[in-house]
């Protein structure tokens, strides 16, 4: 056995080998040591190899999926080695023959299909990148849903596309790890090197064509050599990991580089599109706006948020669909009720294609298509927008498959086909006959037990069954002697004696056992054959079922966005091909939702106009910290993004010209792993914006230059704003504390000053969160520091230093004094209230008052007494 193990392990040196032994997967040697630590399970020893004890650990096969997930998340790959025959079959080849075993699957992050290992509301992409001379391409597939895509991409844009897709695994040619390591490590995507032959475009085209049973890929579009190579690498890797059982991939779709809004990794992170800065989905834009009720609809929303469209017709078609449901609330409610009962068709279909499915996956197909039929009957075709009309057509024509599955399956089938009992009575005559014999046999066993009990006079006699003896008669040792003596010994044959029981059989019982076992096994074999027939019937309708699943997701998302618009009072934006950017009453969806959860504090809406022309296309925003500058910047970027996914937006009015690129440099942290300071990270992100932004981009910049000396920072911020205005010509929001920059509004034609209003009241600052035209005269940093709880002595000292600096600035360089001339804490400390020797007269009066016991007249009298005591 160990020789067999070592031979198989030699073919998978980079994976943990899960070696099936009966009901367990066992691991040995270094695999056992690594797995025991990663899974926190016991490490034992078994036998010796070359004089050294062999480390060993194991996990139950029925719970293996949970262990797979833990190992995958910790960076391991798992080779699943199964027994290909029973021990009984192996013994036919010789007494010491080892059971045949083979690796049936390689489990990697990008090839998961089980529901328990995946987030139903997110895609799980396997991607491949290859560069051929001056061209490069990125392909990606989700084998759990069948999506298969490719696009041209430059190495410069690779990071942004990986951030958009967030793949679980990236395939690359061997030897390209060093040049791609920095880009890919930023995304946290594990790389898997493959031989360069996997990316060869000639063999790749044959491989992909064979998968789709075509002579060439011309039927699906025109692909470049790198694109074909990337597609072929994914297919080659799937053949390797799935051991020939290829998933049900849809024909490849070529995406154009300019088809979606370009959003780099830093911007996605700063805007918290699909993941919050704190980690996890909660607090992200996606979590805030998700009202979908199906897994397919949720994945579609994630794709839209990650990839806002640049196609005006597509955006308008999506907006028309949302408007339709926005206006017909009764239809929308009925639709959502039906959609809540729609299972995940895509993943059920994928598991069936990989032969990892079970009866519940067949039931999922049946139930999903049945709900599709219901949606068709309750939806009026008149007035239906084109997008929904096309989707509705995909929901029709599944009656034959639904009828077949409905007749064949029980209402709630078991998870596994080997459990049996999932085929409905009356569907197959042979199965019904075998079941009858099996079930009646159980009744016969009960009759035989009563008969033998009467014959022997032993009331405690039982007929039982186990996998070793089969059916047997069991009685206590006290009664065994009578059964082993004549005349009973002629009928009852002794089989086994245990500590407290003695077991017998009879010729009659053995014959009945054979009939019952044969009937039960035959029934199970018939069910397995029927399952395969039904599986093939579903796979024969892969195209229509996949189209229905896509249509259901489209209905779900359109209805969900309509519900969101109604609940949150969002409006339909006007999206056009101009450079408009006119928002009235704009709001930040995530912050508004958070305020509501915290107690209903209203969000202060603000306008923004960056339309250019005679108006400004850049706003220079000043104002104190905590006033809402960053929120204002982010909300306008999010409004543009939300509009281009085809949704209503959080505003009173919105007119938006297509935004080709979205750039955000808001906040920063250091990158110690690469030796980058916070300021360096900020400069790298700013450089990316200035080098890439075009005239249709929307740029939001916050506090450029704050991480270095004042004059250095001011110079960089000044030059950056000029470059955006003169060279990039982008629409932009630029927040700063350098008030000197407000002078640029007089120098640059399309720059306007704006400020976040505050109000001072008795030495304290009150944030109004209102954005107005004009410039701030102060930053109110000391007041914010006081609100944050700095010690009073520090706040007083800060005010003193600030006053001196402002005085020096007014009086000119000749009168400037060194701050060092101001002795630290030289200002007299604030007088402390004198300690009182005892309670005041007012305190004494208050202590003696019990409001619940006072009449109105007595309360008035006490008030006079308190006033008189205070005046003393």
């Amino acid at each position: 056995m160990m020789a067999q193990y070592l031979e198989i392990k030699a073919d998978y040196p980079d994976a943990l080998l899960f070696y099936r032994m009966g009901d367990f997967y066992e691991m040995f040697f270094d695999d056992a040591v690594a797995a025991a630590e990663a899974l926190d399970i016991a490490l034992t020893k078994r036998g010796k190899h070359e004089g050294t004890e062999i480390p060993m650990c194991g996990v139950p096969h029925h719970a293996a999926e949970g262990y797979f997930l833990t190992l995958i998340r910790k960076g391991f790959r798992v080779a699943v080695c199964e027994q290909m025959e029973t021990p009984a079959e192996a013994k036919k080849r010789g007494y010491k023959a080892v059971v045949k075993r083979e690796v049936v699957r390689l489990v990697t992050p990008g090839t998961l299909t089980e529901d328990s290992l995946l987030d139903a509301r997110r895609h799980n992409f396997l991607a491949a990148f290859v560069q051929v001379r001056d061209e490069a391409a990125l392909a990606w597939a989700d084998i759990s849903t069948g999506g298969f895509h490719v696009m041209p991409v430059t190495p410069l844009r690779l990071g942004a596309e990986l951030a958009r897709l967030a793949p679980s695994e990236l395939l690359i040619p061997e030897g390209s790890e060093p040049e791609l390591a920095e880009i890919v490590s930023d995304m946290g995507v594990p790389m898997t090197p493959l031989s360069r032959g996997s990316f060869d475009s000639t063999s790749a085209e044959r491989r992909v064509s064979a998968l789709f049973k075509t002579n060439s890929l011309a039927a699906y579009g025109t692909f470049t050599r790198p694109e074909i190579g990337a597609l072929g690498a994914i297919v080659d890797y799937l053949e390797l990991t799935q051991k020939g059982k290829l998933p049900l991939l849809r024909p490849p779709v070529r995406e154009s580089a300019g088809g979606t809004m370009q959003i780099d990794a830093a911007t996605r992170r700063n805007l918290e599109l699909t993941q919050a800065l704190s980690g996890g989905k909660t607090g992200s834009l996606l979590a805030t706006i998700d009202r979908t009720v199906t897994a397919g609809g949720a994945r579609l929303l994630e794709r839209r948020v990650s990839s806002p469209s640049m196609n005006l017709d597509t955006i308008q078609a999506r907006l028309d669909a949302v408007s339709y449901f926005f206006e017909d609330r009764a239809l929308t409610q009925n639709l959502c009720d039906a959609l809540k009962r729609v299972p995940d068709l895509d993943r059920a279909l994928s598991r069936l294609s990989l032969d990892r499915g079970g009866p519940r996956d067949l039931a999922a197909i049946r139930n999903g298509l049945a709900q599709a039929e219901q949606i068709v009957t309750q939806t009026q075709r008149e007035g239906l927008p084109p997008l929904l009309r096309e989707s509705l057509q995909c929901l029709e024509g599944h009656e034959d498959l639904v009828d077949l599955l409905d007749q064949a399956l029980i209402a709630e089938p078991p998870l596994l086909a080997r459990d049996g009992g999932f085929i409905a009575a009356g569907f197959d005559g042979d199965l019904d006959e075998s079941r009858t014999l099996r079930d009646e046999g159980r009744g016969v066993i009960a009759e035989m037990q009563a008969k033998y009990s009467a014959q022997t006079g032993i009331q405690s006699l039982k007929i039982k069954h186990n996998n070793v003896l089969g059916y047997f008669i069991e009685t206590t040792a006290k009664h065994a002697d009578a059964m082993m003596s004549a005349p009973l010994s002629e009928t009852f044959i002794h089989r086994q004696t245990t500590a407290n029981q003695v077991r017998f059989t009879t010729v009659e019982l053995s014959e009945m056992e054979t009939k019952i076992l044969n009937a039960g096994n035959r029934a199970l074999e018939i069910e397995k054959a029927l399952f395969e027939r039904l599986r093939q019937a579903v796979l024969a309708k892969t195209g229509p079922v996949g189209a229905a699943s896509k249509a259901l997701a489209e209905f779900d998302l359109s209805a969900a966005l309509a519900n969101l618009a109604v609940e949150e009072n969002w409006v339909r934006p006007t999206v056009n091909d101009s450079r408009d950017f006119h928002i009235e009453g704009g709001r930040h969806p995530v912050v508004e939702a958070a305020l509501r959860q915290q107690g209903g504090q209203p969000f202060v809406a603000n306008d923004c106009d960056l339309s250019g022309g005679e108006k400004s296309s850049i706003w220079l925003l000043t104002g104190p910290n905590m006033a809402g500058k960053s929120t204002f910047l982010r909300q306008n970027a999010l409004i543009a993004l939300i509009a281009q996914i085809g949704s209503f937006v959080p505003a009173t009015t919105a007119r938006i010209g297509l935004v080709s690129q979205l750039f955000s440099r808001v906040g920063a942290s250091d990158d110690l792993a690469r030796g980058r300071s916070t300021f360096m990270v900020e400069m790298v992100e700013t450089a990316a914006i200035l080098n890439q932004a075009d005239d249709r981009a929307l740029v939001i910049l916050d506090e450029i230059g704050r991480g270095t000396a004042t004059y250095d920072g001011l110079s960089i911020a000044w030059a950056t704003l000029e470059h955006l205005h003169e060279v990039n010509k982008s629409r932009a929001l630029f927040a700063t504390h350098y008030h000197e920059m407000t002078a640029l509004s007089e120098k640059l034609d399309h720059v306007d000053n704006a400020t976040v209003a505050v109000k001072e009241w008795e030495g304290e600052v009150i944030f109004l969160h209102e954005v107005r035209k004009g410039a701030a005269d102060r930053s109110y940093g000391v007041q914010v520091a006081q609100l944050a709880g700095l010690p009073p002595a520090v706040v007083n000292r800060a005010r003193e230093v600030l006053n001196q600096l402002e005085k020096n600035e007014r009086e000119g360089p000749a009168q400037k004094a060194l701050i060092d001339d101001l002795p630290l804490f030289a200002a007299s400390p604030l007088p402390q209230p004198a300690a009182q020797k005892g309670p005041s007269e007012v305190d004494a009066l208050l202590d003696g008052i019990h409001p619940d016991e006072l009449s109105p007249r007595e309360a008035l009298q006490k008030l006079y007494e308190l006033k008189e005591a205070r005046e003393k």
Side-chain angles (χ1 to χ4, degrees):
M1 188 198 74
M2 290 309 299
Q4 183 193 61
Y5 171 86
L6 291 170
E7 183 181 353
I8 296 172
K9 174 62 184 174
D11 294 332
Y12 300 92
D14 298 328
L16 297 180
L17 183 63
F18 269 46
Y19 183 84
R20 181 72 176 269
M21 293 176 63
D23 290 336
F24 278 76
Y25 287 114
E26 303 289 1
M27 286 149 280
F28 301 96
F29 299 103
D30 292 342
D31 283 8
V33 176
E37 181 180 358
L39 298 174
D40 193 23
I41 58 178
L43 182 67
T44 62
K45 295 182 173 66
R46 177 170 178 170
K48 291 189 176 183
H49 177 68
E50 296 179 351
T52 305
E53 291 183 319
I54 301 172
M56 169 183 162
C57 69
V59 300
H61 80 93
H62 64 270
E65 286 184 7
Y67 293 107
F68 290 163
L69 183 59
T70 301
L71 291 171
I72 290 298
R73 285 177 174 169
K74 293 188 176 183
F76 294 96
R77 292 147 56 91
V78 178
V80 182
C81 180
E82 294 286 0
Q83 296 179 175
M84 308 309 291
E85 61 181 358
T86 66
E89 290 171 334
K91 284 182 180 179
K92 293 177 183 177
R93 294 184 284 106
Y95 179 69
K96 292 190 176 182
V98 178
V99 173
K100 288 182 181 178
R101 292 178 175 88
E102 290 180 12
V103 171
V104 298
R105 179 187 177 194
L106 198 60
V107 183
T108 70
T111 59
L112 303 176
T113 56
E114 292 82 357
D115 274 345
S116 60
L117 306 184
L118 295 172
D119 181 348
R121 303 181 74 81
R122 304 197 74 166
H123 278 286
N124 186 58
F125 287 126
L126 169 68
F129 173 78
V130 65
Q131 187 168 5
V132 180
R133 291 188 285 276
D134 296 333
E135 294 182 301
L138 180 70
W140 62 97
D142 183 348
I143 72 168
S144 69
T145 62
F148 199 18
H149 300 260
V150 68
M151 70 178 295
V153 63
T154 63
L156 182 66
R157 290 293 308 162
L158 177 61
E161 294 304 327
L162 291 178
R164 173 172 74 94
L165 298 169
S168 298
E169 189 174 1
L170 177 67
L171 309 177
I172 59 171
E174 281 181 338
S176 60
E177 297 97 320
E179 59 192 86
L180 296 175
E182 184 172 342
I183 298 172
V184 178
S185 65
D186 275 354
M187 305 298 110
V189 181
M191 291 188 295
T192 301
L194 296 181
S195 69
R196 291 194 172 269
S198 297
F199 293 87
D200 177 71
S201 58
T202 303
S203 59
E205 182 166 16
R206 286 197 299 269
R207 205 178 300 128
V208 180
S209 298
L211 174 64
F212 295 106
K213 298 179 174 58
T214 61
N215 292 326
S216 73
L217 297 180
Y220 306 123
T222 304
F223 300 96
T224 64
R225 286 185 61 199
E227 289 170 347
I228 294 173
L231 290 170
I234 287 180
V235 175
D236 191 37
Y237 189 64
L238 292 177
E239 287 178 342
L240 170 69
T241 58
Q242 308 308 304
K243 296 298 172 183
K245 292 181 180 177
L246 281 171
L248 212 59
L249 293 179
R250 298 192 181 100
V253 175
R254 187 178 191 272
E255 293 190 2
S256 62
T260 60
M261 181 191 292
Q262 293 183 26
I263 312 173
D264 62 18
T267 301
R268 291 178 190 277
R269 187 168 55 249
N270 291 334
L271 294 180
E272 302 178 281
L273 299 185
T274 58
Q275 187 171 14
L277 289 173
S278 58
K281 191 175 174 181
T282 304
S284 66
L285 174 68
L286 179 62
T288 303
I289 68 173
D290 190 355
R291 301 291 190 278
T292 57
V293 295
T294 69
R299 292 193 294 266
L300 182 59
L301 176 61
E302 183 198 21
R303 288 205 304 276
R304 297 267 170 92
V305 170
S306 299
S307 312
S309 178
M310 275 291 292
N311 186 301
L312 202 54
D313 291 338
T314 298
I315 295 170
Q316 297 297 354
R318 292 173 182 172
L319 286 171
D320 288 343
V322 176
S323 295
Y324 179 79
F325 288 122
F326 181 84
E327 292 164 5
D328 194 334
R329 302 307 302 147
L331 171 65
T332 306
Q333 185 58 53
N334 292 335
L335 173 68
C336 290
D337 290 341
L339 287 169
K340 286 175 183 176
R341 295 187 286 274
V342 172
D344 196 338
L345 293 179
D346 282 332
R347 289 191 169 165
L349 200 58
S350 175
R351 284 190 294 274
L352 289 170
S353 72
L354 286 165
D355 204 9
R356 291 183 201 143
R360 285 186 191 172
D361 292 309
L362 293 176
I365 301 294
R366 173 195 65 189
N367 298 342
L369 295 179
Q371 290 303 314
E373 290 180 357
Q374 182 178 334
I375 290 170
V376 170
T377 59
Q378 68 185 29
T379 304
Q380 297 291 332
R381 295 179 185 275
E382 292 183 10
L384 205 63
L387 179 62
L388 297 181
R389 192 161 56 244
E390 293 170 11
S391 297
L392 196 66
Q393 292 173 356
C394 296
L395 300 182
E396 298 175 308
H398 305 286
E399 295 84 0
D400 292 345
L401 183 57
V402 172
D403 289 344
L404 172 64
L405 295 175
D406 203 30
Q407 292 172 21
L409 298 172
I410 63 173
E412 297 290 338
L415 179 64
L416 302 173
R418 67 169 181 249
D419 293 337
F422 56 88
I423 297 295
F427 180 72
D428 184 89
D430 289 343
L431 177 60
D432 290 343
E433 183 179 340
S434 296
R435 282 176 172 172
T436 300
L437 180 58
R438 178 196 64 194
D439 297 338
E440 286 184 355
R442 290 172 183 165
V444 170
I445 291 293
E447 291 176 4
M448 290 176 72
Q449 177 177 302
K451 172 183 153 185
Y452 291 149
S453 180
Q455 181 180 349
T456 60
I458 302 170
Q459 296 301 315
S460 60
L461 180 148
K462 302 290 183 187
I463 296 181
K464 296 184 177 181
H465 180 274
N466 65 30
N467 291 330
V468 177
L469 298 180
Y471 283 102
F472 56 87
I473 301 162
E474 185 175 86
T475 187
T476 61
K478 181 174 67 173
H479 298 110
D481 291 342
M483 294 181 66
M484 287 190 284
S485 301
L488 294 179
S489 60
E490 296 176 4
T491 304
F492 298 97
I493 305 165
H494 177 258
R495 291 200 67 182
Q496 189 181 51
T497 300
T498 65
N500 300 311
Q501 307 288 339
V502 181
R503 293 166 176 173
F504 299 86
T505 187
T506 68
V507 174
E508 181 186 24
L509 181 61
S510 296
E511 290 175 350
M512 182 55 66
E513 177 182 16
T514 301
K515 290 181 181 178
I516 292 171
L517 288 178
N518 286 344
N521 290 336
R522 176 165 168 71
L524 189 56
E525 290 304 316
I526 292 173
E527 283 204 82
K528 288 180 179 178
L530 290 173
F531 172 80
E532 182 60 24
R533 192 178 111 197
L534 295 172
R535 187 175 81 92
Q536 293 300 330
V538 169
L539 295 181
K541 299 284 187 179
T542 295
V545 173
S549 178
K550 183 178 178 182
L552 288 167
E554 195 70 63
F555 267 89
D556 182 23
L557 180 54
S558 299
L561 292 175
N563 287 334
L564 174 69
V566 171
E567 292 170 16
E568 305 294 336
N569 193 27
W570 289 15
V571 298
R572 176 170 178 161
T574 300
V575 184
N576 55 40
D577 203 23
S578 69
R579 276 175 49 89
D580 287 347
F581 193 88
H582 180 80
I583 309 294
E584 293 181 11
R587 312 188 303 276
H588 192 300
V590 181
V591 175
E592 185 177 31
L595 288 175
R596 188 184 304 115
Q597 289 178 355
Q598 292 168 9
Q601 182 180 348
F603 184 93
V604 178
N606 281 296
D607 302 342
C608 181
D609 195 346
L610 306 175
S611 299
E614 297 181 0
K615 301 179 181 179
S616 59
S617 57
I618 298 177
W619 275 18
L620 182 65
L621 189 64
T622 53
N625 288 314
M626 295 294 295
K629 296 195 303 298
S630 295
T631 299
F632 179 73
L633 265 59
R634 286 184 170 97
Q635 77 185 36
N636 286 291
L638 292 179
I639 287 171
L641 181 145
I642 292 169
Q644 287 185 218
I645 72 173
S647 169
F648 285 27
V649 297
T652 305
T653 305
R655 188 176 69 253
I656 300 170
L658 285 174
V659 174
S660 61
Q661 301 163 296
L662 191 59
F663 290 105
S664 165
R665 217 240 57 80
V666 179
S669 59
D670 53 25
D671 187 352
L672 297 179
R674 296 209 212 149
R676 290 177 174 177
S677 67
T678 302
F679 180 67
M680 183 61 177
V681 172
E682 176 186 318
M683 289 299 98
V684 168
E685 293 178 3
T686 304
I689 294 171
L690 297 180
N691 288 326
Q692 298 176 49
D694 61 25
D695 62 346
R696 299 194 72 93
L698 176 61
V699 178
I700 60 173
L701 295 167
D702 192 9
E703 309 293 344
I704 293 297
R706 65 180 170 180
T708 187
T710 303
Y711 289 119
D712 284 349
L714 174 58
S715 303
I716 293 169
W718 190 289
T720 298
L721 183 58
E722 287 184 334
H723 195 279
L724 279 172
H725 183 274
E726 300 296 335
V727 180
N728 302 104
K729 301 185 184 300
S730 305
R731 292 164 285 185
L733 291 169
F734 195 114
T736 185
H737 279 293
Y738 297 130
H739 296 152
E740 297 86 345
M741 291 184 64
T742 56
L744 281 170
S745 63
E746 299 177 4
K747 175 185 173 185
L748 303 177
D749 294 338
H750 299 297
V751 173
D752 253 357
N753 291 324
T755 184
V756 185
V758 296
K759 185 179 182 70
E760 285 190 84
W761 179 257
E762 296 183 351
E764 294 187 8
V765 61
I766 300 171
F767 302 116
L768 302 181
H769 305 296
E770 294 178 5
V771 177
R772 304 171 181 171
K773 287 295 185 69
D777 57 348
R778 300 175 59 189
S779 286
Y780 298 96
V782 175
Q783 286 87 341
V784 174
Q786 183 178 4
L787 288 175
L790 263 64
V794 175
V795 174
N796 291 336
R797 172 61 173 163
R799 282 201 177 100
E800 187 176 349
V801 174
L802 177 63
N803 291 335
Q804 183 63 55
L805 288 170
E806 290 177 341
K807 179 181 177 184
N808 291 344
E809 191 67 30
R810 289 192 301 270
E811 294 179 357
Q815 300 298 322
K816 283 186 178 179
L818 293 174
I819 296 300
D820 289 343
D821 291 341
L822 296 170
L824 189 60
F825 305 122
S828 300
L830 291 174
Q832 298 296 319
Q836 295 182 346
K837 297 179 180 179
S840 67
E841 188 177 349
V842 172
D843 290 335
L845 285 170
L846 286 170
D847 287 341
I849 294 176
H850 302 286
D852 290 343
E853 299 175 1
L854 296 178
S855 68
R857 183 179 182 86
E858 289 171 335
L860 182 61
Q861 181 60 39
K862 290 293 183 184
L863 187 58
Y864 285 129
E865 292 174 8
L866 284 168
K867 184 172 176 61
E868 183 180 353
R870 193 196 67 171
E871 290 173 352
K872 290 180 181 178

